[in-house]
Each structure stands twice: as C-alpha cells, then as structure tokens.
Amino acid sequence: MAIVTGRTNGDTGGGGTTTPAGQPDGDGEIPGQRHADGAAPGRPGGPRQRARPLSEAGRVRQPVALIRLLTGLITIALTLLLADYARATTGGIAADVAEAAALVPRPLANLAGGLTTAAVLLLPVGLAVRRLLGPDRRRALQQVSDGLLAAVIAYGATLALGLWADDLAPASLLTALTQRLPADALAHTEPVYGYLAPVLAFMTASASRERRLPWAVLTLSGLAGLAGGYATPTALLLGLLIGWTGAHGTLYAVGTPDPRPRPGEVLRALRDSGLRPVEALPAGPDHYQVRQADDRPELDVQLLDRQAVTAAAVQRAWRRLRLRTAPHPRALRSPRTGLEHEALVTYAALAAGVRTRRIAATAGLGHDTALIAYEHLAGRTLDQLDDEEITDGLLTDAWGQLALLQRREIAHRALVPSSLLVDGGGAVHLVDFADGDIAASELVLRCDVVQLLTTLALRAGAARAVRTATTVLGRDALGAALPLLQPIALARSTRQALKRRPDGSTPGAGAGAGAGAGVQAGTAGGLLEEIRAEVSRGRPEVVGRPVRLERLRPRTLFAVAGGVVAGVLLIPQFFAVEDNPVAALTDADPWWLALAVLAAGLSHVAAAMGFVGFVPERLNFRNVVLAQVAGAFVKLVSPGGVGGIALNTRLLQRADIPTAQALSSVGVGQLIGLVLHLLQLGAFVYLVDAQPGGSELAALPAVVCGLVVATVLLVVVWSIPPARRWLAARLRPLTAEVLPRLLDLLRNPGRLAVGVAGQLLVSLCLITCLYCCALAIGRAPSFAAVAVVFLVGNAAGNAAPTPGGVGAVDGALLLGLQQTASMEEGGALAAVALFRLLTLILPVLPGWAAMTWLQRRKAL
C-alpha cells in the first residue's frame, strides 16, 4: 500500500521502518511528502515545505527561529538609527520620563529597584525548577539548558553593545541612549538595560508556558529602572530586543528539542475522538499510518504544527503581494485554524460528489499541534503509473472530477501528480485540499484548469489532454482558461518538469496515445505552445493573449528597495557637508540653469538623429523624437539602456520593418555608439592631460588598467572551450545580422553621417548639461574633465542592473567630479543632483505623455 500524503515523525516507535526524517530519497524528494510538487498556500503548487532537519539528538532547526532572529536584528538596527537621527524625539521622551520619575520619592524608588532586581534574578530559577519537576523531564532539561545558553549569549551581547556605544559609537548615539545618574552627575547610565535581556532570553529559549508572572516581573523591573533614573526608555527597549533576538538566535543555532508528538500521544488523541487505534507507524514527514481494532479501516494521520504554519507565513504574504491568484492571507494562522480550513474544503468537495478521502477525526494536541485523520485510500498517484496505464478513460475521469469542483466554485490549487490518486479500479480521486478554497474566483478556477491541463499533458501529450478536456469541459471553458496558460500560473514542480523534459520526448506513447502526442521539449514554452495550438486548432477564434497575474514583480520591489536605501544614504549627506548642496541649488544661476535645461532637451533630438541614421528605411522623425522622450519614462522600470533598445525595436516593428532587420538596425546603432563612446573618452582624457598646469586626471592609470584587465579577461575566456562557445553564441547575432546591416548602411554615407553625428551630439549635449549644472551653482570645472566624468559615469549606468542606472551613475559622477574635476563634496553633490533632476526625474511626465500619444496612434 502506498502512503500518499503526510509528513514524518523522527520517532520510529511502534516498530516498522521508514526513511529518516528530513532525508531525501534517491531522486532528491522526501518520501511521503504532503505535496510532492511543493504545493503550499498561495499560488497553485507553491514552493515545497521540506521536512525540518532532525539531528541525531532529536533537535530541529525551525525556520521560524531564523525569521525571528532576522526580524530582531533589523529592529535593533532601526532602533539605534532612530535613536541617533531622531535625537530630539528620543531626548524629549527621556526628559518627560525623567520628569515624571522625579515625582517618585527617592527611598521608594530605591526600594522598588532592589525588590524588582531580586525578583528578576530569582525568576529564571523558579521557572527552571518548575520545568524540571514536570512530567517530561528529559525535554525540560534540554529546554532549560537552551535557556541558560541563551541568557549567557544575551548578557554578552548587552555588554558588547554597551562597550561599542561607550568607545566606538558616535557621541550623539551615546547621548540618546544614556542619561546622568541621580547619585553621580559625572557618570551616566548604561546604554543597554542589561538586567532584562538574559531573563527574557531564558524565558523564550526554554519555551516557558508561564507568561503572566514573568512579564509582570519584567514590567515592574523596567518601571523601577525608569523611576530610579537607571535607564532610558531606549535602553530599556534595547534590552528587551536583545534578549528576544538572542533567544531565537540560540534556538536556530543549536536547534530545539523536537516538539512533535510521539506515537503514544497520537493514539491517545484518536481514542479520545472515538476511534479504536492500536498501532501508529511513522509513514512520512509528520504523518502516521494507524491500524485500528476490529478490522476497522486504516487511517492516514496528518500532523499540523505551529512551526510549519509560521514558517510559511512570510511565503504566503509574498505570494499574496505578488500574485492576483493568491488566496486571501491567513498569515500566522494557528494549527487548529489550518485543520479547520482543510476539513472545510474536504467536506465541500465530498458534498460536490468528488471522490476523495473521508475524514475520520480531527483533534488538537496541546497548544502547538493538531491532527486530521483520513480513512486510508489505497492507490497510486499519477506520477507512479506506467504510460500504458494512462488511458483516455483515466484522463476523462480526472477532468470529470475537476468539473464537479468547478460547478461548486471550489478551487484545489495544487492539481499536480501527487494530488491525483488512482485506485485499483482505475478511478481518479482528488486528494490534498489543504490549499483549496471555496467560493473561489473565476480567475482561480481557470488556474486549476490550466494546471491540470499541463499536468496531464506532461504524461499523455498535449493532444490527448486537450481532447479529453474538451469532451468534459467544452471548448468555451478551455478557451477562457487559455490566457492563463503561462509558467507563473503553474506549480513550481510543474515548471521544473517542463524544463527537464528531454528533446524529442513523446509522453504517453502507449495506451492510445494517438497522433500528435509527441511534443516539443527542452523548454517550458515548448509544451505550453503545443497546448495553446491544440486548443486554437479546434477553436481558431480563441485569443490566447496572456493575462497578467503578477501584481508586483521582484525587480520592481528591488528597484523600490534600492531607491529607499539610496535615499537613506544620500539624503543625510545633503546636510552633513560644509557647503550645503540644498543652499547651492536654491542659489543656482538661472541663465546657466536655462542652458542646462536646453542641453538636456536637445539630447533627445540628437538621440533621434543617432537612431534614424542607422535605419535605411524612411521613418517619421517626429515619432522617433517622441520615442526618445518616451525612453525617459521607460528608464524607471528597466536597467541601463535595455528599455531604450526595446522601445526603438518596437518603433521599427510598428513601422512595418521586419523584426530581424529592426534588431540589426538597433544593434548597429549600439555597436557604433560604443566605439564612439570609447573614442570620445580617449580624446577628452588627452585634453585633460594637455591642459596647462599639469594633469587633472588622477584616474588615467585606472582607465588604462581597466582596459588591460578587460583584454586579459577576454583572452582567458576565449582560451576556455565552454566559455568560448558561450561567448561565440552571444556574438553570433553580431556577425549574422549586425555586420550585414552595417555594410548596407555604408552604401548611404549621408545617412550614416547623420547617425554618427547624432551619437556624438547626444554625449556632447549631456556633457554640456552637466557642465552648465556645475556653473549654475558657482563652480567652474574644466569642460574636458566634466566630459571624462560623464562618459565614465554613463558607462557605469549602462552596466548597472538598476532602473536608470540609479546608484551607479550618481556614485560615479559624484566621485568623478571630486577626483577628476577637483570639486568639493557639497558642490559635486549639488551639481549631480541638479543634473539627475533634469535628465532623469523631470522627463518622466513628458515621457509618459509621449508614450501614450504614440500608443494611441499605433506607433508603439
């Protein structure tokens, strides 16, 4: 009998053998994994939650401990930053607290301080004694040992942070964390109130169930410290944070005693539910196979624990933020809530007439674990069947089960091979409804259709999967789901299976595979395109334009995060230098500022010249100029020059120029632009060196060194056969498309001259803009030095993966103006800020208007 679902307990009590907990089998999969595809709440078949590692000592490293450790470290860092940057606020709060504490009589404050200190010292002892006198002394001893270790680490962390604040931290931070002692005006309080950290670390790491009394003691101790003037509110908060963070760091480093129930506890819970279990055998991660008395049916028992639920909370939140098809958030739901949800969806499926396992019992096991017991269903999953066993009747039956769910608006969300169980009679049962939903939206229901369609096509071929789906669901339902046939709508394991398919594979060759069962292979798009073609063949009017399922793309989040980090790092510099750049901007010369604006605007016209000069076909110059203006808007969501390349290519395609020729024209422009960029850089480097009074260019050795390193790197790459083949594959479009296009352009020297002149003028206009920005704020660097700085900074921006080169361009220009153009930090920062305002920020709105205008006129 095959155990289909569940997770394993490391305890092998009760006899029987099992794969060690958390250990993968020969295929890299964990036997008995609950969702063999990695299904998880959120997107259908989300990332796999593998069994937690279990050491020989019966300890597990909980992912939630790592999450809480990182959260604590970030909170401590933010607290220190706020204490330093918001000194007025933290100082005001500390002053208010000190003023209120002065109203407390000194003898009473001293008495309270002494009593609470004694209580804080005795509290861990009382908690440890109570734990050791409990029923499970072995586990209690392990947890008390963890608590002692965490207390020592937390106390050491408070001492280290205190020493750092006293000796190495800025004086402003030390002032924000401390105050003068009442008894000694020359001494100050500790930067961290260290009495609380080890006690809280012990409480947390030892998994103490007592909450009210310990927290009451900690609260009174903190209030006594504030009343006695021995701590500031910030120092008190840091002590608590260090204790909490140290505890979770200890738990993740050494692991925690395995909290999962033993077989005996599982049997007791089942007996209390009215069943008659006699033996529980581990059969997978957090899963038991239970035998009952009196020939009653066997049970498949699934454990749901708080740690696994909490570990998936961040993952669920990210999917909810990113995908439109993610379920409503149930972040940090308890195991009992998860059990109730799975039971609810399972009962709804049974009521809809779907074949699935019946629930025999549900029960709670303490505060952190719950179980759900299913009547055992013998059979094999779809991925365990031979090709000859996958008949058209079986495929039709699978679609029939999905149709029953669709009629009741029930979403499964994880229709992967492990969720399709085939019994001895060949009937398909749908199992594992933990990720399902009732009253699901139309979009989610269509995702189930495309998921099952892809799952069956991987085993039986696109033709058979589409044909059987059409028989049951009809062409309209398949046509409506076709726009969602895209990799992101599928389970991760399904996407991996698509990529692993060998070339020329023919799934389902036996058992009536029929014509057209062979599929393209090697990429995810091969099978998906064949499915799309099969659906369209029966209904040509179907428009398979993909529906956008992503609310937020990772690169957008990274761009926003990068912008926030850059702002946090750069904004304080505006006020940290002697020559305040904000004041310099407000006093900028309006005439030079107007010339800078004019130069920035003319750069778009020059870019249009540089573009049309490398396109032999005739183009509408007005549309080309507007496309260059629209490129300013595209920069916000694309790194370097990628957005401009895509925009120009689309413009040529809309002008009825074939895609191959459009790409080659853009490639010619990029190639010649690179050559001209290097030539200009060399020319301006020479001009800087030739200026009277000696060379200003301190970066010349670095430029030469960079060229030498690039040459050596190219030689090394070319000498390695795999690297040479990779480079040759990347350069093949250059020799196959770009060079022939360049030879065609040589026959029209006038147009080529326009292109070259436009490429040169683009750089000169932007160099002039930066130069005028420097003059507008009262600085007078040499034009050649500014040109070198811009050309180097522009190259850095094209290589950077951030939108508009944010960060790379700004840093390169700022450093270059100081090193090469001999400008002070404040003036360089003001000039760069003004330049980026004129060339990156202000053109965004005109760029959006230009793009909208071109799209309405079908030019883009």
Side-chain angles (χ1 to χ4, degrees):
M1 292 182 292
I3 301 301
V4 180
T5 64
R7 291 173 275 193
T8 192
N9 189 327
D11 192 337
T12 56
T17 60
T18 182
T19 302
Q23 298 296 322
D25 61 12
D27 295 326
E29 303 292 343
I30 297 177
Q33 184 70 27
R34 188 164 183 273
H35 288 309
D37 78 309
R43 177 170 46 79
R48 175 195 302 268
Q49 298 176 12
R50 291 188 179 273
R52 296 185 297 275
L54 183 63
S55 67
E56 295 297 330
R59 287 180 172 267
V60 291
R61 283 193 177 93
Q62 305 286 9
V64 66
L66 177 61
I67 294 173
R68 290 173 177 171
L69 169 63
L70 297 177
T71 303
L73 292 175
I74 293 172
T75 307
I76 291 172
L78 291 176
T79 302
L80 292 173
L81 286 175
L82 290 175
D84 193 18
Y85 283 105
R87 291 187 294 272
T89 302
T90 55
I93 294 175
D96 293 339
V97 172
E99 184 178 352
L103 302 176
V104 180
R106 180 54 47 189
L108 180 59
N110 293 335
L111 177 62
L115 292 176
T116 54
T117 300
V120 165
L121 295 177
L122 292 175
L123 179 61
V125 178
L127 293 177
V129 171
R130 178 164 184 174
R131 291 302 309 277
L132 293 175
L133 294 179
D136 194 348
R137 296 183 180 180
R138 180 179 178 183
R139 180 178 293 183
L141 181 61
Q142 291 177 332
Q143 292 175 334
V144 169
S145 301
D146 294 342
L148 292 174
L149 178 60
V152 172
I153 292 175
Y155 189 67
T158 59
L159 294 179
L161 184 58
L163 292 174
W164 173 79
D166 283 329
D167 301 332
L168 301 176
S172 58
L173 179 60
L174 182 62
T175 303
L177 296 178
T178 60
Q179 63 185 12
R180 296 298 177 186
L181 284 172
D184 187 355
L186 298 179
H188 60 73
T189 60
E190 293 294 332
V192 181
Y193 196 56
Y195 294 104
L196 303 184
V199 177
L200 181 58
F202 179 85
M203 288 171 47
T204 305
S206 62
S208 174
R209 295 292 183 189
E210 294 292 336
R211 288 290 183 267
R212 294 181 181 179
L213 178 61
W215 274 108
V217 172
L218 292 178
T219 302
L220 292 175
S221 178
L223 292 176
L226 294 175
Y230 298 108
T232 63
T234 309
L236 188 65
L237 177 61
L238 282 175
L240 295 174
L241 287 174
I242 290 175
W244 188 80
T245 305
H248 290 293
T250 303
L251 293 178
Y252 186 74
V254 303
T256 58
D258 187 5
R260 291 169 290 188
R262 275 43 173 196
E265 297 173 310
V266 173
L267 293 177
R268 282 195 297 271
L270 293 175
R271 291 192 190 102
D272 293 341
S273 300
L275 302 177
R276 302 186 62 184
V278 295
E279 185 180 26
L281 301 178
D286 289 345
H287 179 272
Y288 287 94
Q289 182 178 356
V290 177
R291 184 171 58 85
Q292 295 195 85
D294 301 332
D295 295 329
R296 294 190 177 188
E298 292 185 354
L299 303 174
D300 290 336
V301 177
Q302 172 72 50
L303 300 180
L304 296 90
D305 61 275
R306 183 180 297 276
Q307 299 295 342
V309 169
T310 307
V314 174
Q315 209 167 37
R316 289 197 303 269
W318 165 243
R319 283 193 296 270
R320 178 63 181 171
L321 179 66
R322 183 185 178 192
L323 298 176
R324 295 170 57 196
T325 56
H328 294 293
R330 307 184 196 97
L332 299 179
R333 63 184 180 185
S334 66
R336 186 175 295 276
T337 304
L339 180 149
E340 292 171 352
H341 175 78
E342 182 172 351
L344 175 64
V345 180
T346 301
Y347 282 129
L350 287 169
V354 177
R355 290 192 293 269
T356 187
R357 300 174 301 175
R358 295 186 177 276
I359 297 177
T362 59
L365 293 170
H367 293 74
D368 296 331
T369 309
L371 66 81
I372 181 169
Y374 292 98
E375 294 182 2
H376 178 68
L377 183 60
R380 291 177 296 165
T381 56
L382 183 67
D383 51 349
Q384 296 173 335
L385 299 178
D386 295 331
D387 289 343
E388 293 76 11
E389 298 178 273
I390 302 178
T391 63
D392 284 353
L394 186 146
L395 301 178
T396 303
D397 190 25
W399 286 114
Q401 296 301 300
L402 178 62
L404 294 174
L405 290 179
Q406 300 263 310
R407 292 193 191 104
R408 296 292 184 93
E409 296 182 349
I410 302 172
H412 187 285
R413 291 184 173 275
L415 289 170
V416 292
S418 63
S419 298
L420 276 68
L421 181 66
V422 182
D423 62 20
V428 177
H429 302 252
L430 302 183
V431 297
D432 294 339
F433 282 92
D435 305 330
D437 269 330
I438 59 176
S441 67
E442 186 68 23
L443 194 65
V444 175
L445 295 176
R446 292 177 185 177
C447 281
D448 270 359
V449 174
V450 298
Q451 175 62 60
L452 184 59
L453 189 60
T454 308
T455 297
L456 298 181
L458 281 168
R459 290 304 315 270
R464 295 176 63 200
V466 171
R467 184 172 65 249
T468 52
T470 304
T471 303
V472 178
L473 302 180
R475 296 193 180 277
D476 291 340
L478 283 186
L482 195 60
L484 283 89
L485 188 61
Q486 47 187 301
I488 196 171
L490 304 174
R492 184 179 64 176
S493 66
T494 304
R495 298 196 301 270
Q496 293 172 348
L498 290 169
K499 294 177 181 179
R500 288 196 302 263
R501 295 176 63 246
D503 293 337
S505 62
T506 307
V519 297
Q520 301 176 16
T523 62
L527 181 60
L528 298 186
E529 287 300 325
E530 180 164 342
I531 294 173
R532 191 173 287 110
E534 288 291 338
V535 176
S536 302
R537 184 175 301 147
R539 190 182 177 191
E541 68 274 12
V542 169
V543 179
R545 184 176 181 180
V547 172
R548 180 171 179 178
L549 300 177
E550 289 180 294
R551 285 194 181 97
L552 178 67
R553 296 185 179 182
R555 66 182 183 186
T556 304
L557 185 62
F558 293 148
V560 172
V564 171
V565 171
V568 170
L569 296 178
L570 292 178
I571 290 176
Q573 298 183 23
F574 277 86
F575 307 96
V577 296
E578 288 186 17
D579 297 320
N580 194 329
V582 176
L585 288 174
T586 57
D587 298 334
D589 188 310
W591 295 106
W592 286 117
L593 189 58
L595 287 177
V597 173
L598 178 62
L602 290 176
S603 66
H604 298 293
V605 180
M609 292 174 55
F611 177 64
V612 298
F614 300 112
V615 181
E617 293 81 6
R618 186 176 182 83
L619 298 175
N620 186 322
F621 189 73
R622 179 193 60 186
N623 289 351
V624 176
V625 173
L626 291 176
Q628 308 314 306
V629 176
F633 176 71
V634 177
K635 282 182 183 178
L636 291 179
V637 293
S638 61
V642 174
I645 293 174
L647 197 67
N648 290 332
T649 304
R650 182 61 176 170
L651 181 69
L652 295 181
Q653 290 174 330
R654 282 294 191 177
D656 296 330
I657 297 176
T659 301
Q661 297 180 18
L663 291 172
S664 60
S665 294
V666 175
V668 168
Q670 293 294 315
L671 178 62
I672 294 181
L674 174 62
V675 174
L676 294 176
H677 189 93
L678 295 176
L679 293 177
Q680 290 179 91
L681 180 59
F684 283 113
V685 165
Y686 173 78
L687 291 176
V688 170
D689 286 336
Q691 288 177 348
S695 174
E696 294 182 55
L697 190 61
L700 179 59
V703 174
V704 175
C705 238
L707 293 176
V708 172
V709 169
T711 304
V712 172
L713 184 61
L714 182 61
V715 172
V716 171
V717 169
W718 194 257
S719 64
I720 302 174
R724 183 171 63 247
R725 288 192 295 269
W726 177 85
L727 184 60
R730 296 302 182 275
L731 294 178
R732 192 172 295 116
L734 176 66
T735 58
E737 300 174 2
V738 175
L739 292 182
R741 190 70 163 175
L742 181 58
L743 294 177
D744 291 339
L745 289 172
L746 292 177
R747 300 172 185 172
N748 192 343
R751 182 174 289 271
L752 185 60
V754 170
V756 172
Q759 293 276 12
L760 292 173
L761 286 174
V762 171
S763 298
L764 291 176
C765 287
L766 293 175
I767 292 169
T768 302
C769 179
L770 180 58
Y771 181 68
C772 291
C773 289
L775 294 176
I777 61 172
R779 307 320 189 259
S782 71
F783 186 84
V786 172
V788 172
V789 170
F790 168 77
L791 293 171
V792 172
N794 190 49
N798 286 330
T802 56
V806 172
V809 172
D810 310 288
L813 294 180
L814 182 60
L815 182 63
L817 289 178
Q818 295 179 66
Q819 299 294 328
T820 305
S822 302
M823 292 178 62
E824 79 286 353
E825 184 179 1
L829 193 57
V832 171
L834 185 57
F835 174 73
R836 294 292 275 173
L837 178 67
L838 296 180
T839 58
L840 180 66
I841 305 301
L842 292 183
V844 169
L845 187 57
W848 171 79
M851 174 171 283
T852 304
W853 192 88
L854 291 172
Q855 287 177 334
R856 288 180 178 177
R857 283 155 182 78
K858 307 298 183 182
L860 273 183

